[in-house]
Amino acid sequence: MPAEDKYAYPPADERTYVGRRMGRVDGTAKSTGHAKYTYDYNAKGLLYGAFVRSPYAHARIKNINTSEAEKMSGVKAVEIVQKPGSEIYWAGDEVVAIAAVDEPTVRDAVRAVKVDYEQLPHLVIDSEEPPHNIPPDTSPLGLDDLEDMARNQVPTAQMVKEINERGITFKPEEAPLDRMPADIAKAVKSAKQKPAEKKPPAWYKPAAAETQGDADAAFQAPEVVISEGLYGLPVITHCCLETHGAVCEWTDSDHLLTHVSTQYISGIPGQMAEVVGIPAANIRQVQENIGGGFGSKFGPDRWGIYSAKLSKKAGGAPVKMMLSRAEELEVAGCRPSAYARVRVAAKKDGKLTAWDSFGWGTGGPGGGGSPPIPYLIRDRVPNYRIQWTAVVNNIGPARAWRAPNHPQACLITMAALDDLAHKLGMNPLEFFKKNIELTGPRANIYMDEFPVADELMGWSKRWHPRGDKTPGPIKRGLGMSMHTWGGRGHQSECDLTIQPDGSVTIKMGTQDLGTGTRTAILAVAADTLGLTPQQITLLYGDTRYPMSGGSGGSTTIGGVSSATRRASVDARDALFLKVAPVLGSTPEQLEVVKGQVRVKGQASKALSWKEACAKMGAVPINAHGKNLGGRDPLMNSGVGGVQMADVSVDTEAGIVKINKMVAVQDCGLVVSLETAESQCYGALIMGISYALFEEKVMDPTSGRMLNPNMEFYRLAGIGDIGELVVHMMVNKYDGRGVIGLGEPPVISPGAAISNAVANAIGVRVPMLPLTPARVLAALGEQKGENA
Amino acid sequence: MIQFEYLSPSSVKQALGLLSPNWGDTEVLAGGTDLLGLMKDFVLTPKRVVNIKHVSGLEAIRSEGDGGARIGALVTLDRIVEAAHIRQNYPALAQTVADAASTQIRNMATIGGNLCQRPRCWYFRNGMGLLPKTPDGKSMVVEGDNRYHAIFGNEGPAYFVSPSTIVPLLIAYGARLRIAGADGERELALEKFFRIPGSDAEREHDLKPNELVTEILLPSAKGVRAANYEVRQKASFDWPLATAAVALRMNGSAVESARIVMGAVAPVPWVSQEAAQAIANKTINEQTASAAGAAAVSKARSLSHNNYKVKLAAVAVKRALLVAVGQTVPDLSTAQRGGGA
């Protein structure tokens, strides 16, 4: 048989754990408080670190005086983070780091530092429509510009285009070419070098319009139905329940032990080595559990780096720097906003013909992300014109937020299409089916999922045209949306050891974000070795174990499952080699089933796992599994999901209540069904939160966040989420391999809920979150009141 | 940590002797559910904290012969919910208190502290001041994000809203307060207790810095129909956007007299004579309750971001009236979620 075939997963009916419901292996530890997080590292002699932060949203540091703080008893180390002359781009940015013997002392020391600032003009509001007549910036790109673009997830193709057209102001060798995507590095190397142009600071950075076909003509074509609308959603934060932070200590003069709360354990040493001045090999990162990251915890950040620097200055004592709730919300990550005026056109039969949008949004000082509008259908809409203006402002730094740019693009697109369906007099489900080929390669998946969602929600039975006619102020409605995501597994490696006494150990340097990674690894290994998960010890969360990629982009499950499968198959086959002679058979004829190594089809010719392992002699079997990246048939990319929402709206009070959400989700071969479902439940709750509650509210005068707390930065509570129904498309697409799931189900809730509210009350509420203020304003406008 | 002196007196007299005549020098600690957070955030930086939890005589709920009640200032919210006398004679109060905050907070927070809690205004809580000003002397609230701010009593300089969800109902019931000071005790109607501060040196109530609230006196509520309605975006643990409390004396099916008090709409609990007049001598139904709601907000004046609160306050008044006479109101938290879909 071809060498690769032996790694393929067996069919569903021959699997015990993979694709089935298996309890979360760390559920007990987490629910009883035994699970340890970065916050829980309290070594002897622990020092507490804290930052002096800028109270201004935009300023230049003139002078820093730390002498009072340094004199305070209990203060062990002071480090300047940003020197005089530095420019500050958001309120709360770090200026000085201090470590002291306890929290009250370090807080006092922070207050004792005197910093003089020159205040500069700031902008923190982003919802106002930018002027349409600003010419795109054609000046050559500096290194900072490229960093901003990368941080804002500007698509590679767009970056390459801009580099080619605008040229660069630096020498290619000055750029971190090895850390750039290959296409961008190539473009940088061949780009024209030009002198830097002095540019006045600009709040708006328009990108060149992108077009296909002839949008103007398509809108003027006879017999087309046109819908126009404004849609958008504000900057929100990640609001990790375990705030960002780190504990670092020098175990000797040139070895650093870090506990950074991170989504990328294997990547921490490499990101810290240069700044702390030791080889990456001398840095060990350990993290057992993480309490939420959502895309905001890939780097060591200033708290990781300065806990290490302060520790060094303090003689190596461990320094804990955990952000407060207010710091978490102010500086540890913003999801870019997105707003757009949209025009869409369809033929009377519902076939979409044209899209025209003018959009804008902010990702903070680096400008805005560029959401892939129109979502799902972009390259297949016959005619479009897409304009996007990044708003450069001082609201705080953007970070990847679960499915970067997709929830924004999805809301803007699906709301616009839902409005068009209404104008066409069509049931949105029929409208989406009519245009399904525009979704491209996943069209068949959506078509498979539609009837499942329809059945679970009772859509066809219960859907009514826009505007619930039931008397009384409570109106009920249904809405839907659909989404996709890549999710190919990242690079990941696995060491699996079988000892002669039958015990099995797996070592992987991956992290479990609470997504069920540990459970999934054990499901794969247990299935392959014919054991129970309890018979296998999984060691993880440490850079001493084989590397694994960062848990971002829904890449973990593909990466770790393939590495584990490969290590497990190789170890099992090595065991078969030793055992076959004993059973009077050949290795190819052996199988492992329920703790027995036996000859296929001959139950009498069997050894227990323990007996079989005893035949190994004194030498353990060790297998190293490594996935094959882009050419690995065990994993794949590209999922489809459909969601439906059932809401009630109190039209007098403007309050939206979720009655029920249905999520139907594909992720290729499902590895761990129960934790996969949990991912979807969590995504629905997170989606309900951003649909109804979340907004980073900024004060225009001070440039500060007004709700850096959980009283007014609201998240959904148990009473707010209604009934959640999740259906995984199990055993339907197993042949496609394992695909990531973390991100996709959080993309659609905002759109589905917004559409359901429009269906209930008869009018679109343009912006998320769907607060009473916005719902009442939309209803008032419908009635012709002045808002 | 800013150093402060911590004292724990055992009598009202001792406590009064420890309080400064100037606001800000001393703060009174009872349940601590508000004060400790404000101190941790350096919004309040007292030189002395006077813990009154061990002051005797302030922790009883007493029933009066006529059915009235006296509630000591140190009685926790949880005990009010549990008290048989309150549940029997002031069922709307028991329900409103049970709905306030979370279990953990109700176990600690005192009723006296609830009256004296500081505004939730996000400018105040972020350390920008109770009456925050822009560099050119304008109100930061008026110039900024005032979505949760006042629609009444907002002529300036105060724009925050009175935070208690319990106080409006106590005022509707006609509660009075006993206050102890150096010159002895005084008594005043609860609605007179709250004041709109004119400067940062003033507080939101009539208490002098060296006085203590000792007791809440509730007149008998025999024959009174009362209700409290809160418009909250979240199902629980959420500050309301507008509230209304009503206490009605009925003559047959008609309203003989009404006390209608709105919360979270003004720097003080807002007693609406307009709404009371609108409903006087009328039978309460959807139309008359709506008219009373409209009357309640007829003099409201919204800021740049809080026009919706005018509608919410009217809805709160309307629904409180309907609930008080036993009619059902739309409720998203129950099965009554509309048909339609």
Side-chain angles (χ1 to χ4, degrees):
Chain A
M1 75 184 170
E4 238 339 271
D5 281 3
K6 65 176 175 181
Y7 298 114
Y9 289 94
D13 56 0
E14 291 174 29
R15 303 192 301 246
T16 308
Y17 299 106
V18 170
R20 295 171 186 272
R21 270 193 195 80
M22 162 185 154
R24 185 184 286 269
V25 294
D26 48 356
T28 309
K30 286 190 168 172
S31 52
T32 55
H34 284 87
K36 293 288 173 246
Y37 296 79
T38 296
Y39 230 119
D40 299 319
Y41 288 104
N42 291 312
K44 196 158 178 274
L46 185 74
L47 302 177
Y48 293 82
F51 288 106
V52 176
R53 296 182 178 279
S54 167
Y56 303 113
H58 190 195
R60 189 170 286 107
I61 301 172
K62 286 164 68 181
N63 188 42
I64 300 172
N65 184 342
T66 59
S67 57
E68 284 297 312
E70 304 205 39
K71 275 187 277 182
M72 288 170 67
S73 121
V75 170
K76 298 293 185 189
V78 177
E79 284 270 354
I80 305 292
V81 180
Q82 298 196 70
K83 294 191 182 83
S86 305
E87 194 168 341
I88 300 286
Y89 293 97
W90 58 85
D93 199 14
E94 296 84 13
V95 179
V96 177
I98 303 177
V101 291
D102 55 31
E103 283 187 86
T105 306
V106 78
R107 291 187 76 190
D108 284 352
V110 162
R111 288 165 66 83
V113 172
K114 304 272 182 298
V115 184
D116 298 326
Y117 299 91
E118 176 196 355
Q119 284 189 66
L120 301 169
H122 63 249
L123 177 72
V124 290
I125 307 298
D126 62 324
S127 58
E128 280 162 30
E129 188 165 352
H132 287 228
N133 57 358
I134 305 172
D137 188 354
T138 54
S139 65
L141 296 158
L143 263 178
D144 286 353
D145 296 318
L146 291 187
E147 268 173 38
D148 285 348
M149 292 165 93
R151 197 182 304 131
N152 287 292
Q153 293 113 31
V154 172
T156 300
Q158 192 185 328
M159 283 184 72
V160 169
K161 188 163 166 257
E162 297 225 11
I163 293 165
N164 289 340
E165 287 171 5
R166 293 167 64 177
I168 55 174
T169 64
F170 52 93
K171 294 192 182 107
E173 56 270 25
E174 292 166 357
L177 294 170
D178 50 334
R179 282 194 269 126
M180 291 175 162
D183 288 350
I184 294 174
K186 201 174 134 203
V188 166
K189 277 188 255 177
S190 62
K192 269 199 193 122
Q193 283 178 52
K194 299 177 181 173
E197 290 175 20
K198 202 160 170 72
K199 288 180 280 187
W203 301 127
Y204 300 116
K205 279 191 192 170
E210 294 180 60
T211 58
Q212 175 159 292
D214 186 342
D216 288 330
F219 279 102
Q220 281 156 20
E223 306 262 299
V224 293
V225 175
I226 297 171
S227 171
E228 293 184 46
L230 170 68
Y231 313 94
L233 56 182
V235 168
I236 67 173
T237 81
H238 297 67
C239 202
C240 303
L241 288 190
E242 180 204 30
T243 59
H244 286 64
V247 180
C248 289
E249 67 177 300
W250 292 80
T251 50
D252 60 39
S253 62
D254 55 3
H255 284 85
L256 180 66
L257 174 61
T258 67
H259 307 288
V260 180
S261 175
T262 185
Q263 297 174 234
Y264 189 13
I265 288 171
S266 299
I268 291 295
Q271 295 181 79
M272 287 185 75
E274 197 179 326
V275 277
V276 298
I278 52 171
N282 293 11
I283 300 175
R284 179 184 177 198
Q285 156 73 16
V286 177
Q287 170 189 265
E288 287 177 55
N289 294 287
I290 174 173
F294 313 111
S296 66
K297 289 184 177 171
F298 288 110
D301 280 313
R302 289 224 178 96
W303 29 94
I305 290 161
Y306 281 89
S307 59
K309 288 192 171 190
L310 292 167
S311 169
K312 177 127 206 167
K313 231 177 202 179
V319 174
K320 178 186 275 191
M321 291 192 104
M322 297 299 296
L323 300 194
S324 67
R325 178 56 49 194
E327 291 172 304
E328 174 73 16
L329 291 172
E330 283 198 271
V331 306
C334 293
R335 181 176 87 175
S337 59
Y339 310 88
R341 286 194 183 282
V342 179
R343 265 197 320 158
V344 270
K347 290 186 189 153
K348 284 192 169 160
D349 66 356
K351 280 273 184 193
L352 194 64
T353 57
W355 173 279
D356 182 16
S357 61
F358 178 87
W360 70 96
T362 189
S370 184
I373 298 170
Y375 188 57
L376 285 187
I377 57 176
R378 177 162 179 146
D379 297 326
R380 290 168 290 272
V381 177
N383 306 286
Y384 64 65
R385 175 172 48 229
I386 303 153
Q387 293 169 278
W388 183 262
T389 296
V391 181
V392 179
N393 78 6
N394 307 97
I395 197 166
R399 289 176 187 231
W401 191 102
R402 203 171 180 179
N405 288 325
H406 280 231
Q408 297 95 316
C410 184
L411 181 272
I412 288 168
T413 306
M414 295 299 160
L417 297 183
D418 185 76
D419 284 352
L420 178 61
H422 163 63
K423 211 144 184 207
L424 287 159
M426 287 179 80
N427 181 324
L429 180 54
E430 297 313 314
F431 173 84
F432 285 124
K433 284 183 187 166
K434 184 93 190 172
N435 289 289
I436 199 67
E437 72 279 12
L438 294 183
T439 63
R442 251 77 64 193
N444 66 317
I445 293 175
Y446 298 122
M447 291 302 279
D448 289 344
E449 290 174 336
F450 284 147
V452 181
D454 185 352
E455 174 72 24
L456 290 170
M457 182 54 93
W459 179 280
S460 293
K461 282 187 209 133
R462 298 199 296 134
W463 183 84
H464 58 69
R466 198 170 270 192
D468 181 1
K469 302 288 185 280
T470 312
I474 306 285
K475 305 295 183 192
R476 191 166 181 175
L478 298 179
M480 64 172 290
S481 175
M482 49 214 272
H483 54 260
T484 188
W485 187 254
R488 176 176 290 281
H490 56 209
Q491 195 184 338
S492 186
E493 301 180 22
C494 171
D495 271 343
L496 190 145
T497 306
I498 304 174
Q499 298 286 352
D501 68 350
S503 57
V504 178
T505 306
I506 293 174
K507 291 179 183 169
M508 295 183 88
T510 187
Q511 50 279 323
D512 186 338
L513 268 54
T515 50
T517 303
R518 268 169 277 199
T519 309
I521 291 168
L522 287 171
V524 170
D527 242 6
T528 311
L529 299 176
L531 300 173
T532 65
Q534 292 73 28
Q535 288 173 284
I536 302 170
T537 301
L538 171 60
L539 301 174
Y540 59 91
D542 191 327
T543 44
R544 290 185 172 173
Y545 305 138
M547 75 74 59
S548 207
S551 290
S554 304
T555 56
T556 308
I557 186 65
V560 300
S561 61
S562 173
T564 305
R565 174 73 181 163
R566 287 165 190 282
S568 305
V569 167
D570 287 348
R572 181 198 66 193
D573 290 355
L575 179 64
F576 286 168
L577 210 56
K578 304 254 183 191
V579 174
V582 182
L583 289 170
S585 183
T586 61
E588 295 75 30
Q589 286 307 308
L590 298 189
E591 62 178 2
V592 281
V593 178
K594 290 187 179 163
Q596 286 206 317
V597 179
R598 67 187 193 194
V599 179
K600 283 176 195 165
Q602 297 181 52
S604 58
K605 285 187 145 187
L607 291 172
S608 73
W609 176 261
K610 220 175 160 61
E611 289 165 348
C613 293
K615 308 295 178 200
M616 283 160 44
V619 185
I621 289 172
N622 186 71
H624 185 74
K626 180 175 182 178
N627 69 48
L628 308 181
R631 59 192 174 81
D632 191 329
L634 295 183
M635 54 198 211
N636 208 331
S637 176
V639 302
V642 170
Q643 292 188 4
M644 291 179 173
D646 168 355
V647 306
S648 288
V649 184
D650 179 339
T651 54
E652 289 180 344
I655 295 170
V656 176
K657 167 83 183 168
I658 307 297
N659 299 321
K660 181 175 176 176
M661 298 281 296
V662 169
V664 179
Q665 185 65 49
D666 138 63
C667 61
L669 171 65
V670 178
V671 176
S672 166
L673 180 55
E674 191 169 308
T675 57
E677 289 167 339
S678 287
Q679 279 286 79
C680 295
Y681 289 120
L684 290 174
I685 294 167
M686 201 168 181
I688 291 167
S689 286
Y690 78 71
L692 301 186
F693 303 118
E694 288 182 76
E695 181 174 359
K696 186 171 189 178
V697 181
M698 303 299 292
D699 175 50
T701 304
S702 63
R704 299 208 64 134
M705 184 177 181
L706 288 170
N707 57 343
N709 53 58
M710 292 182 73
E711 283 179 280
F712 293 108
Y713 191 91
R714 294 177 171 87
L715 297 181
I718 198 81
D720 302 309
I721 59 175
E723 180 192 0
L724 306 180
V725 178
V726 171
H727 179 94
M728 299 302 301
M729 299 294 277
V730 183
N731 301 337
K732 180 94 183 157
Y733 312 115
D734 289 1
R736 293 166 63 214
V738 176
I739 317 175
L741 174 69
E743 271 139 322
V746 88
I747 296 168
S748 272
I753 292 167
S754 178
N755 290 344
V757 169
N759 181 252
I761 68 176
V763 60
R764 171 70 53 186
V765 182
M767 306 280 186
L768 302 186
L770 300 162
T771 59
R774 292 197 174 95
V775 172
L776 291 176
L779 285 163
E781 215 160 289
Q782 185 189 32
K783 284 192 254 171
E785 292 171 17
N786 291 325
Chain B
M1 195 167 69
I2 291 177
Q3 298 291 319
F4 61 86
E5 188 184 9
Y6 177 78
L7 297 161
S8 200
S10 55
S11 71
V12 171
K13 193 164 173 232
Q14 271 181 1
L16 292 174
L18 298 172
L19 294 175
S20 157
N22 304 311
W23 283 122
D25 286 353
T26 53
E27 293 289 347
V28 174
L29 173 71
T33 56
D34 194 22
L35 178 66
L36 297 187
L38 288 165
M39 287 176 65
K40 283 182 185 173
D41 290 341
F42 300 103
V43 174
L44 295 179
T45 51
K47 298 185 188 103
R48 175 186 285 176
V49 171
V50 180
N51 169 31
I52 60 167
K53 269 177 294 196
H54 303 302
V55 167
S56 56
L58 304 183
E59 64 289 290
I61 301 177
R62 296 187 177 84
S63 51
E64 301 283 73
D66 62 353
R70 291 161 57 195
I71 305 175
L74 285 177
V75 172
T76 60
L77 300 189
D78 181 61
R79 284 190 50 220
I80 293 176
V81 177
E82 298 300 322
H85 184 69
I86 301 295
R87 296 168 83 96
Q88 257 161 37
N89 293 279
Y90 308 93
L93 179 62
Q95 204 176 346
T96 297
V97 177
D99 211 23
S102 63
T103 307
Q104 291 88 338
I105 288 177
R106 288 193 300 274
N107 284 338
M108 291 302 292
T110 64
I111 188 67
N114 185 275
L115 306 187
C116 299
Q117 67 179 303
R118 307 303 306 275
R120 308 309 304 185
C121 168
W122 49 23
Y123 289 91
F124 174 63
R125 295 272 162 176
N126 282 310
M128 302 173 191
L130 187 60
L131 312 171
K133 294 274 190 297
T134 66
D136 51 0
K138 294 177 184 160
S139 164
M140 283 176 84
V141 179
V142 172
E143 300 297 308
D145 199 311
N146 44 50
R147 69 183 70 183
Y148 301 129
H149 287 79
I151 54 169
F152 291 102
N154 57 3
E155 293 76 25
Y159 299 92
F160 60 82
V161 295
S162 177
S164 172
T165 56
I166 301 169
V167 160
L169 184 62
L170 291 172
I171 292 176
Y173 274 127
R176 296 178 67 77
L177 280 189
R178 285 168 81 108
I179 292 168
D183 306 328
E185 292 214 334
R186 64 185 176 114
E187 203 181 296
L188 86 166
L190 181 55
E191 65 177 282
K192 304 275 187 220
F193 177 69
F194 296 97
R195 292 176 24 180
I196 301 180
S199 78
D200 272 310
E202 297 173 29
R203 291 240 165 142
E204 308 85 59
H205 46 66
D206 188 56
L207 213 57
K208 293 190 182 73
N210 52 1
E211 287 184 320
L212 280 178
V213 173
T214 55
E215 205 167 31
I216 292 119
L217 313 175
L218 277 172
S220 165
K222 281 211 174 96
V224 171
R225 291 183 165 203
N228 189 48
Y229 190 92
E230 298 180 20
V231 181
R232 286 194 304 235
Q233 196 190 355
K234 284 181 60 173
S236 56
F237 306 159
D238 198 10
W239 293 102
L241 301 165
T243 80
V246 303
L248 310 171
R249 287 194 182 275
M250 307 297 288
N251 182 3
S253 67
V255 174
E256 187 181 277
S257 68
R259 300 261 296 161
I260 299 178
V261 188
M262 288 176 277
V265 296
V268 294
W270 200 256
V271 179
S272 178
Q273 305 299 350
E274 294 84 358
Q277 278 160 20
I279 203 72
N281 303 315
K282 300 217 166 87
T283 303
I284 292 177
N285 56 36
E286 179 77 19
Q287 285 69 39
T288 57
S290 269
V297 298
S298 57
K299 291 183 182 158
R301 190 188 75 111
S302 59
L303 304 170
S304 54
H305 291 69
N306 68 1
N307 189 36
Y308 74 104
K309 287 188 66 171
V310 177
K311 290 180 182 171
L312 297 189
V315 169
V317 168
K318 170 185 162 182
R319 292 187 181 175
L321 285 166
L322 291 169
V323 172
V325 296
Q327 295 194 27
T328 54
V329 294
D331 183 357
L332 288 170
S333 68
T334 68
Q336 190 208 338
R337 285 179 184 148

